[in-house]
Structure formats: structure tokens, C-alpha cells
Amino acid sequence: MTEAASRQVVSRHTTLRLLAVLTVVLAPHVSHVPLWATALVVAVGLWRAGAAARGWQLPGLAVRGGLAAAATGGVYLSFGTLNGQTPGVTLLALMGALKLTEMRGHRDHMVMIMLAYFLLVTHFLFNQEVPMIAFLLLCAVLITAMLTEINHPQGPLPARQTLRSAGVMVAQAIPLMIVLFILFPRIPGPLWGLPSDSGANAVTGLSDSMSPGDITNLSQSDAVAFRARFDGPLPPPNQRYWRGPVLWDFDGRTWTRGEAANYLPPARLTDIGDPVDYEVILEVSRKPWLLALDVPTQAPANGVFSAGLSARARRPIYERKLYRSTAYTQYTLDAELSQFTRNVATRLPSNRNPDSITLARQWRDSAGSDTAFIDRVLQYFRAQPFVYTLQPPALGRHTVDDFLFNTRRGFCGHYSSAFVTLMRAAGLPARVVTGYQGGESNGDYFTVRQSDAHAWAEVWLNGRGWVRVDPTAAVSPERVELGLGAALPAGEPVPGLARRTGAMLENLQLRWELVNAAWNRWVLAYGPEMQREILSRFGLGDWRSMIFALVAAVTVLLGVVGVWALWQTRPARNNDQALRLWNQVSNKLRKHGLERAADEGPRDYTDRVVAQRPDLTEPMQRILRAYLQARYFGTAQDLAPLRDAVADLKT
Amino acid sequence: MRDETAPDTSIDTATLRRALDQAAEIVIGKPHALRLALTCLVANGHLLVEDVPGVGKTTLAQTLAKVLGLSLSRVQFTSDLLPADVLGVSIYEPDQHAFRFHPGPIFAQVVLADEVNRANPKSQSALLEAMEERQVTVDGKTHALPEPFFVIATQNPTEQIGTFPLPESQLDRFLMRIDVGYPSEQAELELLAGADRRQLLKQLQASLQPEQVLAAQAAARAVKTTPPLLQYVLDLVLTTRRHAKVKDGLSPRAGLALKRAAQAWALLDGRPGVLPEDVQAVFPAVVGHRLRSASEDGGASDLAQQILQQVAVP
């Protein structure tokens, strides 16, 4: 850009429009950045709009520098760092707003427009859903319209015209975008996630530990945990248990995997029934767990099993993951139990929950058999007024005692914790299994949300191996059979999608879910593995051939667009022919140094040729006559006279 | 507007050329300026002549009027000139107890407005409005101007003290602006040796009727412009809008003027259609006063030539 262009004045209307577009582009960030940052950005934006409208003086270097330093300091104070996703975006938005205070000429406006494009990309760090994509496309059109507006040689065109041409440009870019999306070699790792930001906005769901007594209000998240598609029919609701971490160790308050779990022998499966094949698209969890339908025989996606047949990936899940797996709903898990495992699975903290332990021993003695004892415990849950709720009261030091005999209000964590404690007190090996239970089917797909997170128990019975017992089902069978929405008492807040009301609304939700599933399945889950898998079907397995195909596809695409553009601007055909014949004259005379100049009219050219070559006077006059009649007088019937005259020209 | 009952309304190129040749005997050594002036008249436009005094601007106008058989009046523009001095005035006639309109000098077929930039803007705009409307409204009554109506305004570019240069918007009213320039050495010698121009002018016979001038104007409008030619005109106009050295590009009105002038030029050559050469011939005169150079150096006429060289003949 030349010096003159950078100083070129931009009209205040254009500046105001650019401010409006920036407002739209920045709007979604309001939910992530701190309130003070939003306030500062809005204040600076409003001030700049006032400056544009009223012609206020822009601040000097000292004020701008001071504001920039203050904004940087503010971000550091708010986050404790300048790195990471949210601090980085906050800083970027602030600096973008402060850039407005020195936005004068054409060049500064260009910088702001480029920054707006960059800000568009930052939205992907927070949200990659379909509505956001639609919004970002709209923003891209708006920004491109601004780009057209400030660069049009004849000054700003009417808004409708710039918007239309920007829309056309964005639409024209879409084929290129698709080619790049499919063929550009993917790198492993999250495309949009920044790993350093894991703790800030973790969603509730599965975790490595469970402390029922400490939770008084279980966060209710509608976020999708994963989606599954079964090759065959769906398993019945009471078998939709998705296995996650298995918790062995209880310290009286918190269940964890425990150190001992690392040394337990691997699980052994026998007497397995028919396989159930399915595919899972796992959302970003920032946890290594690979959810699998009870029970898997092999850890999916190259993962490994840890004790208790819970599959985990080698590193936490930072990008959507697509994997296939196989489950067996009929099985015998660990027909034999090692003494070490038995010890770990019956260990209880000393001097905790004395009442429960006493009660369990009493019941075990009176029951006669292990199964009768289990029934006795479940019977207790059913008979006493236990309530399933997501807002239980906090529990005291003896969490299980408190829960069983006092509060009697809780969710799956409370029930499974209490149940396993009772089992272990009576000497039965038992463990807490966490994961997901339920989900909703939606055509091909089966969606499991964070609100479907669940905990249940497994008890080892002689001759039957580990048997799944879900004490929550005893209290609230609906939780297992119908889902969370049905299980909660009326009047208690439920996650929006967990309680189903209205057939039409439900239908719409399901359709929307289907769109999201397709989006996730085909777009967001398109990582390096899926790319390699799909492209290898076309013989483009390695990145070299991908690059080659990419370059070829882009070349072909641009070539097609170029040819189309040429075709669009081709001269009219009839004129073209007369002109072509006329050009032949110039070509014939070129070797005599009598080529026609581009700005030379037909008569001037003829005069020049005739002056140089008097011998050509007659044929040249004949050509000129025919050419003028054909092209400028509109008196020629066809091009035959001109064609003949040109053919007769002998130089 | 042609009078169908008029005695002779036929016109051919030979007649026009003959008139031109006759005029050239009086206006010596300026065939191009003379032909542009006639072209401007035939294209039904007005002419602005910009040159130093004494190069024959007045003679040019007088000769043209005489040869074409048109009435001529001359207004010397001065700073105290009033609009009524140009347009005419209504005067109370005591005998008839009524106002009577006394037409001003503008009621002539050829009006020579000498040193138009000496008059105040009010009188300038009275003239220019009459040029555009081809009628005069005084005291609520509209008086049509004679036909054909052709204004030749002269401007002295070197003397700027006490003048009101015509603004851009007014310059656009003139179809062409030409420079007469000093005659060549040989022509000047001929001028010195020859008889007095005024005597020659008196002896000059009109070779055309006013009706024939109107017919020529109609014939010029009928000269064919084919799509490639119009494309060429458009290319020229568009180039001025993109040109780095041009401050404001040509307006659509300028494009139309260019086409009209080229048609008249082609008619003087007796061609049924307009050629790119015709456009090139009139281009500097038509656009010279409409182009404003972005930089102050370099005349507008150079600029017009540069643009002509940059645009290929389609």
C-alpha cells in the first residue's frame, strides 16, 4: 500500500458501520470475558462512535499506552496469567477495542477488518455448534462487506450492493473451504482447544472420585457426553449401562480408584453371549475415560483397561473421538477372585459408619445367603422413605450412617456408596462403578448427556462373578427405566432436556439432535484418524498424496472459476468474427512492420498502411470498406465480403 | 422541431463541406478549429473558446454565422453586465398601457458571448440557463429562443484579476472547448498580405439556410453508432474514472456528449456510421474542460491524449 493510500480519509459513516460490525463479531464473547472487560470494550467503542460522529480528537500516545497497560494488567489480575484461551481472547478483544482509539485512515480500518476476521476464529475455541457456524458465516459476510466498502475505487457503494457482493464472495469461497477441510492434512490434537484451560470450565459428569456427602446441588448439565450408534437393535433400557471409572477405595467420605487398583490382576470374562456392535462419538471430556457399554472385551480406540474393566485412552480426550467397540450384555466377569482383589474389595475405613457396619453384619447373619442379604438391603431402600433427589442435604462425619438413618435423600452416588459400604461390611467384595446410564434414542443415534451420569455397584458372588446391582433402581426404578426427568419429584429443577414435555417440542428437539449428530459425526469428528480412514478409500492415505490431491483440487477449482470468468467477459460473438478478420490483416502485415496499434482506428490504420505500401491501396480500401460496413455502419448482410477481401490480401 | 414547409431542408455532406471551405478562406490556417466549431453546432451543442485576444475568436464566430446564414449578436461581458442586458427586459409602454418585452441580444441564432468570465456569476448563470433551456423566462413569461441556437463563449485564460472563472458545473454545459491558438507562420503571412477580413466577411455569401442547419442536426443524430463503437466510448469514459491522474472521472452526460459530437464529426465526413477515429478526433475538445487533473502539472489536453493512447479500439 502506498503512503497516500494509508492516509486516505475514510468517511465517518464507514467508521460507524465498521464499529457496528465489530460489535456483532464480538457479541458472543460477552459470556466468556470478565464483566469489566466487556464494559471497557463497550465504552471505548461508544466513545469511538461519538468521535466519528462529532469529530472528537483521538487521544495521544500517553493515553493510549496507559489504557493498553491498564488492560493488560487487568487481564493479569483477573486470570493470574495472560496465557490460555479465555485470558488470550479477553486480551485480544481489549487490544482490538483500544486499536479503535488510533483508527484514523484507510490503513487502520484495514487492520481492524483483518482483526475482525481473526476474532471470528476465536469463537471456535468456545463453541463449534451449528448455530454458531451460521452466525460466523453471517459475520464473515458483514466483514467482507466492510472490506469491499472501504476499498471500492468509486467510494462506498450502497449497503445492499456491498452486502450482495460480499455474500457472493463468501459463497464462492465455500467450495475452496470444503476442499481444504477434507484434504488439508490434519494434525493430531485439538484443532480449537487450548489444553491449559482445562480447569476453568470443566463440565460435571464423570470424575475420578465421588464424595456424595459434599455435594448439595449436583450440577445439571445438558451437554452431550457422547453419541452412539448401534449396528443392530438398541439394547433394552435396563442394559444401557456405559462403563466408566471403577472406584475401589473409600476413606469414609470419598470414593477413589485407590493406589491398590494399579496392582489388581486383569479381569477375565467367560460365558459371553451375543456381541453388540456399536460406534461412539465421544465429546471432549478432558478425561481419559473411553465409555463402553457393559461389558467390553477390548478397550476401544487403542485404549487400555484399568482394574475393573474400565477403558481409558492413553491421554485425555481433547478432541472429539470416534471409535467402534463391541459389548456383551451376558457374561461372567471374574469367576475366580484373587485374595488380593478380595481384600481390596472388602476394605472399609475403620471407625467410620459404625451403625451401618453393625446393621449389615446383623442382616447378613439373619439372611442366610449372599443373595438374600442383597435383597434385604434393597428391600430396606424400597421400604424406608428414601427419596431420589439432586439436591440432597450435606452429610456429617459418618456419611453412610447419616444417609441411611437420617437424611434418606440423595442421588445415585449416595445409594451406590451406601450399598457398597453395607456389602463390604458384611464381607462381600463390592465396588462402585461410575459411568452413564440411559440416554435417548433418536433415529440411528443414541445420545447420552452429562445429566445421564450415574453410579452403581458391583458385588462379587461366588460362582457368578461380579454382578451389577443398581441400588438407585430400588428407590427410583424410573431413573433406570425412563431417565432422570421421570425420577425426580415434581417441583425439583431438572436439566432442560431431561424432562420431556410436549410431543411436538420433543419432536423438534429430536430433529435438532439429529442435525447436531450429523454435524458432529461428519464435521467435528473429522480428525486425523477419520481423515486417513476416509481418504485411504480413495488411495490418499498418506499426507504426501493428500497434499498432492489438495493442490490438484485447488488448481482445478481455481481453473474452473477462471475459465468461467473468462467466459463471462467474452466479447459478443458476431463482433468477434469481424474483429478476428480485421486482426488477420494486422497479422499479415506484421512482418512488414505494419502492425496495428491498439488505439489505432481502422481508417487511420488503413491510411498508414497505404502510405507505406501504395501497392496495397486497392485491397486495403476494399477491406476497410467491408470492415466498416460490417462493424461500424451496420450495413453488411454478412461477413462474406470482408472474409473474401482479407483472404485476397497478398502481402 | 423542423419546419416541414420550409423551402429547402435537404442537407448533404457536400453542402456542409462547401460551407466549411468558404469559411476557411476567411479564417486562415485554422481548419481544425473551424471544423470542430461546425461539428459542435451540428451536434446542437455550445462552444467555449479559450484563448488570448486577437487570434480571431470573433472572426470565427462571425464567419460561421454568415456562412450558415444565421443571425448573429454579440455581447461583451463586463463586470457590470446585468441579466436583463443579456436576456431582454419588459418595459412599460404608456401608449398601450402595457408592458412589452424587448428581447435581449440572446435572441439570435448565433450568440457570441465575449469574455464570459468577466461578468458576475448572476449574469453568467442567466446566459448558461438560457443555453440549457433554449428559452428565456422574464416576468413569468416564457420566450422561446430561435432555432438553431448556438452560443460561442470566449474566455481569456491568462487574465485572472477581476474575473469570475466558470465553475465546473457550468463548464459541463458547453459541448466542446477549443483553443484557437496562434496561426502558423505561413497563415499569418497570408493574413498580413490579404484583404481586410471585415471586407471579406461582408462579401461572404451564405451557403446554407437555417433550415438546412436544423436538418444537419437531425442527420447527425441519425448517424449510426454500433455496439463496438459505443463500447469504445464507454471504455474511454470508464478509463477516466480509474485513471490515477484524473481527479473526477467523466459523467454519463459527458459520455453522451462524446457520442453526439462524434456523430456530427462523422456526418461532416459523410459516413453513415461513427468510427473510432471520429471519437478520437473530438475527444480532446469534448472532455478537455470536463477532466480535472489530479496533479496541477500537465494540461487537460495532454491528459486526453494519454487516455486515448491507453484505450484499445475494440
Side-chain angles (χ1 to χ4, degrees):
Chain A
M1 191 180 304
T2 64
E3 190 64 18
S6 71
R7 278 187 275 118
Q8 198 179 317
V9 180
V10 176
S11 89
R12 62 201 169 97
H13 298 289
T14 301
T15 303
L16 289 171
R17 270 195 287 272
L18 179 58
L19 287 171
V21 168
L22 284 171
T23 308
V24 174
V25 170
L26 279 172
H29 277 322
V30 169
S31 59
H32 327 298
V33 305
L35 199 60
W36 66 266
T38 306
L40 183 57
V41 170
V42 169
V44 172
L46 283 176
W47 182 85
R48 186 64 184 81
R54 301 274 164 80
W56 297 337
Q57 197 71 32
L58 296 186
L61 187 63
V63 177
R64 300 200 309 260
L67 277 172
T72 312
V75 172
Y76 191 81
L77 283 179
S78 287
F79 295 96
T81 172
L82 297 178
N83 286 326
Q85 182 171 314
T86 316
V89 167
T90 308
L91 197 61
L92 189 64
L94 283 168
M95 291 303 151
L98 292 180
K99 176 73 192 162
L100 293 174
T101 62
E102 56 175 18
M103 185 172 74
R104 287 193 171 85
H106 179 271
R107 191 192 61 183
D108 298 326
H109 283 73
M110 283 297 287
V111 169
M112 284 314 295
I113 287 173
M114 294 306 147
L115 184 65
Y117 279 119
F118 189 74
L119 280 168
L120 272 196
V121 174
T122 61
H123 290 306
F124 284 118
L125 297 171
F126 299 94
N127 185 336
Q128 301 159 41
E129 305 289 323
V130 179
M132 179 55 89
I133 304 303
F135 172 77
L136 294 184
L137 267 179
L138 176 81
C139 285
V141 172
L142 289 178
I143 300 172
T144 310
M146 286 314 300
L147 192 62
T148 324
E149 175 169 333
I150 73 165
N151 285 306
H152 200 277
Q154 265 130 54
L157 296 178
R160 202 150 44 95
Q161 224 166 318
T162 46
L163 277 175
R164 200 181 51 196
S165 65
V168 168
M169 277 188 256
V170 169
Q172 282 169 338
I174 285 176
L176 205 60
M177 177 189 84
I178 292 171
V179 167
L180 288 171
F181 178 82
I182 294 173
L183 289 175
F184 197 85
R186 296 306 174 103
I187 43 161
L191 193 53
W192 298 115
L194 289 178
S196 62
D197 209 30
S198 54
N201 41 10
V203 272
T204 51
L206 282 195
S207 72
D208 298 350
S209 63
M210 182 176 90
S211 315
D214 296 342
I215 298 171
T216 55
N217 190 354
L218 189 65
S219 293
Q220 301 158 352
S221 166
D222 266 340
V224 172
F226 59 92
R227 293 180 170 85
R229 189 171 63 180
F230 290 92
D231 294 358
L234 293 178
N238 61 10
Q239 289 187 358
R240 293 174 192 164
Y241 282 87
W242 299 87
R243 202 175 183 86
V246 176
L247 309 179
W248 298 83
D249 191 60
F250 188 44
D251 68 357
R253 279 208 89 76
T254 304
W255 284 90
T256 55
R257 275 181 73 239
E259 183 62 21
N262 295 334
Y263 307 105
L264 292 172
R268 201 166 301 151
L269 274 172
T270 46
D271 305 331
I272 53 179
D274 294 332
V276 177
D277 292 317
Y278 60 95
E279 184 183 88
V280 168
I281 304 168
L282 190 62
E283 298 288 312
V284 173
S285 63
R286 302 190 174 92
K287 303 268 166 27
W289 310 115
L290 296 167
L291 278 302
L293 191 69
D294 245 4
V295 290
T297 50
Q298 241 185 346
N302 297 324
V304 291
F305 277 132
S306 60
L309 220 57
S310 80
R312 50 186 298 166
R314 288 168 203 278
R315 58 179 75 89
I317 309 296
Y318 281 120
E319 55 177 332
R320 275 186 188 73
K321 207 168 178 62
L322 173 76
Y323 57 80
R324 290 194 61 82
S325 187
T326 306
Y328 297 88
T329 51
Q330 289 176 359
Y331 55 88
T332 302
L333 178 56
D334 286 343
E336 304 288 328
L337 199 64
S338 73
Q339 189 54 47
F340 180 54
T341 311
R342 180 182 291 273
N343 288 346
V344 171
T346 50
R347 191 184 295 157
L348 278 177
S350 52
N351 58 47
R352 291 288 180 111
N353 305 313
D355 297 349
S356 304
I357 291 171
T358 315
L359 183 70
R361 292 191 177 139
Q362 266 176 25
W363 278 349
R364 175 66 188 86
D365 291 344
S366 62
S369 73
D370 288 345
T371 45
F373 168 63
I374 293 170
D375 285 345
R376 178 71 190 81
V377 172
L378 292 178
Q379 181 56 36
Y380 177 76
F381 283 131
R382 267 191 289 267
Q384 297 299 319
F386 279 95
V387 174
Y388 182 85
T389 174
L390 296 180
Q391 292 164 318
L395 299 175
R397 173 177 161 82
H398 301 295
T399 52
V400 176
D401 283 2
D402 209 13
F403 172 65
L404 284 177
F405 308 119
N406 291 329
T407 67
R408 291 178 180 170
R409 294 167 65 82
F411 49 82
C412 54
H414 297 76
Y415 292 99
S416 54
S417 167
F419 182 81
V420 172
T421 302
L422 290 174
M423 290 300 121
R424 288 186 173 186
L428 267 71
R431 60 195 184 188
V432 172
V433 183
T434 61
Y436 294 88
Q437 196 279 324
E440 89 210 42
S441 74
N442 178 12
D444 271 0
Y445 283 93
F446 189 76
T447 307
V448 178
R449 299 176 185 283
Q450 293 299 349
S451 56
D452 292 320
H454 194 48
W456 60 92
E458 277 183 336
V459 186
W460 190 86
L461 296 174
N462 207 359
R464 288 174 62 189
W466 290 101
V467 174
R468 180 172 63 223
V469 180
D470 190 347
T472 313
V475 179
S476 173
E478 302 89 352
R479 167 69 186 84
V480 174
E481 296 290 331
L482 299 175
L484 181 59
L488 289 170
E492 181 153 319
V494 229
L497 293 180
R499 176 169 280 165
R500 301 263 164 237
T501 44
M504 202 184 79
L505 196 63
E506 187 173 345
N507 205 352
L508 274 178
Q509 279 174 349
L510 290 180
R511 274 174 198 285
W512 180 238
E513 198 42 52
L514 214 58
V515 170
N516 277 327
W519 175 253
N520 287 334
R521 172 76 175 77
W522 294 109
V523 180
L524 297 183
Y526 189 77
E529 289 140 37
M530 190 164 159
Q531 183 181 41
R532 210 172 304 123
E533 184 197 317
I534 287 182
L535 292 184
S536 61
R537 285 187 220 159
F538 302 99
L540 301 171
D542 63 314
W543 66 268
R544 272 170 219 280
S545 45
M546 266 183 225
I547 290 281
F548 180 78
L550 180 69
V551 171
V554 169
T555 308
V556 167
L557 203 65
L558 292 181
V560 166
V561 171
V563 167
W564 178 78
L566 278 179
W567 177 253
Q568 284 288 307
T569 57
R570 74 198 185 282
R573 196 166 151 65
N574 189 27
N575 294 334
D576 205 14
Q577 279 183 345
L579 185 62
R580 203 180 306 141
L581 289 164
W582 177 241
N583 285 337
Q584 281 178 18
V585 177
S586 174
N587 291 342
K588 282 186 176 189
L589 291 166
R590 178 178 294 154
K591 54 178 178 283
H592 302 286
L594 287 170
E595 197 179 351
R596 184 166 59 88
D599 63 329
E600 200 168 19
R603 217 188 41 167
D604 287 349
Y605 178 57
T606 308
D607 290 350
R608 187 160 64 88
V609 171
V610 168
Q612 293 277 314
R613 296 282 305 272
D615 56 309
L616 293 179
T617 307
E618 194 276 325
M620 280 305 290
Q621 292 295 347
R622 188 177 148 211
I623 291 170
L624 177 66
R625 226 168 15 246
Y627 177 57
L628 294 188
Q629 279 170 3
R631 199 136 189 268
Y632 289 108
F633 300 162
T635 48
Q637 296 299 316
D638 55 31
L639 293 170
L642 177 59
R643 197 172 291 122
D644 295 345
V646 173
D648 289 349
L649 180 67
K650 300 283 184 289
T651 61
Chain B
M1 300 295 266
R2 222 176 332 154
D3 189 356
E4 297 298 333
T5 61
D8 186 6
T9 60
S10 70
I11 185 71
D12 52 41
T13 305
T15 318
L16 285 171
R17 295 305 292 251
R18 203 161 48 241
L20 208 54
D21 290 344
Q22 260 185 307
E25 283 175 18
I26 299 191
V27 183
I28 294 170
K30 295 284 160 206
H32 190 69
L34 206 50
R35 182 168 168 178
L36 278 174
L38 184 60
T39 302
C40 186
L41 199 162
V42 170
N44 205 5
H46 303 288
L47 182 67
L48 180 65
V49 185
E50 197 162 88
D51 228 323
V52 292
V55 293
K57 289 178 298 219
T58 314
T59 314
L60 178 87
Q62 286 173 333
T63 310
L64 215 51
K66 193 78 186 271
V67 160
L68 300 178
L70 303 175
S71 62
L72 171 79
S73 72
R74 175 178 169 172
V75 192
Q76 178 66 48
F77 276 53
T78 54
S79 57
D80 57 354
L81 189 82
L82 295 175
D85 297 336
V86 179
L87 305 179
V89 65
S90 288
I91 294 172
Y92 185 71
E93 303 261 321
D95 315 349
Q96 292 158 22
H97 303 286
F99 281 94
R100 201 165 71 84
F101 178 65
H102 293 259
I106 201 164
F107 286 84
Q109 284 163 322
V110 176
V111 178
L112 176 61
D114 237 344
E115 302 201 79
V116 72
N117 55 338
R118 286 204 170 277
N120 54 54
K122 204 169 176 178
S123 302
Q124 281 179 359
S125 77
L127 171 76
L128 292 157
E129 268 175 48
M131 278 164 57
E132 186 73 12
E133 311 286 329
R134 290 167 190 270
Q135 62 185 24
V136 168
T137 303
V138 174
D139 293 340
K141 277 194 74 179
T142 300
H143 308 276
L145 291 170
E147 289 209 349
F149 178 63
F150 181 50
V151 173
I152 302 176
T154 69
Q155 231 183 178
N156 185 344
T158 51
E159 267 181 68
Q160 295 300 332
I161 300 163
T163 62
F164 300 91
L166 292 175
E168 318 277 331
S169 58
Q170 306 281 43
L171 282 175
D172 207 27
R173 304 265 170 95
F174 291 97
L175 181 68
M176 290 186 190
R177 187 193 65 182
I178 60 172
D179 310 322
V180 177
Y182 294 112
S184 65
E185 203 173 314
Q186 197 200 338
E188 196 152 2
L189 193 64
E190 205 178 318
L191 192 71
L192 290 167
D196 183 17
R197 300 292 117 187
R198 272 172 230 205
Q199 288 304 317
L200 289 176
L201 209 53
K202 270 183 189 164
Q203 294 157 13
L204 191 64
Q205 291 298 309
S207 51
L208 262 80
Q209 307 286 325
E211 290 78 15
Q212 283 178 303
V213 176
L214 289 175
Q217 289 179 345
R221 283 195 291 276
V223 173
K224 185 130 186 138
T225 48
T226 55
L229 190 277
L230 294 178
Q231 184 64 51
Y232 181 55
V233 172
L234 183 63
D235 286 349
L236 285 170
V237 170
L238 293 181
T239 304
T240 65
R241 291 182 196 161
R242 299 192 280 267
H243 204 285
K245 288 189 186 166
V246 178
K247 196 163 180 205
D248 297 312
L250 291 179
S251 64
R253 176 154 64 173
L256 286 169
L258 188 56
K259 175 190 153 187
R260 252 165 60 208
Q263 281 176 314
W265 186 271
L267 180 76
L268 293 188
D269 265 354
R271 266 193 295 279
V274 180
L275 294 189
E277 284 92 333
D278 300 325
V279 179
Q280 290 170 354
V282 297
F283 187 74
V286 173
V287 305
H289 57 299
R290 292 178 162 101
L291 288 180
R292 269 202 297 162
S293 179
S295 58
E296 291 310 313
D297 59 304
S301 147
D302 290 346
L303 202 55
Q305 290 298 343
Q306 281 178 24
I307 290 165
L308 278 181
Q309 279 164 19
Q310 279 172 18
V311 179
V313 174

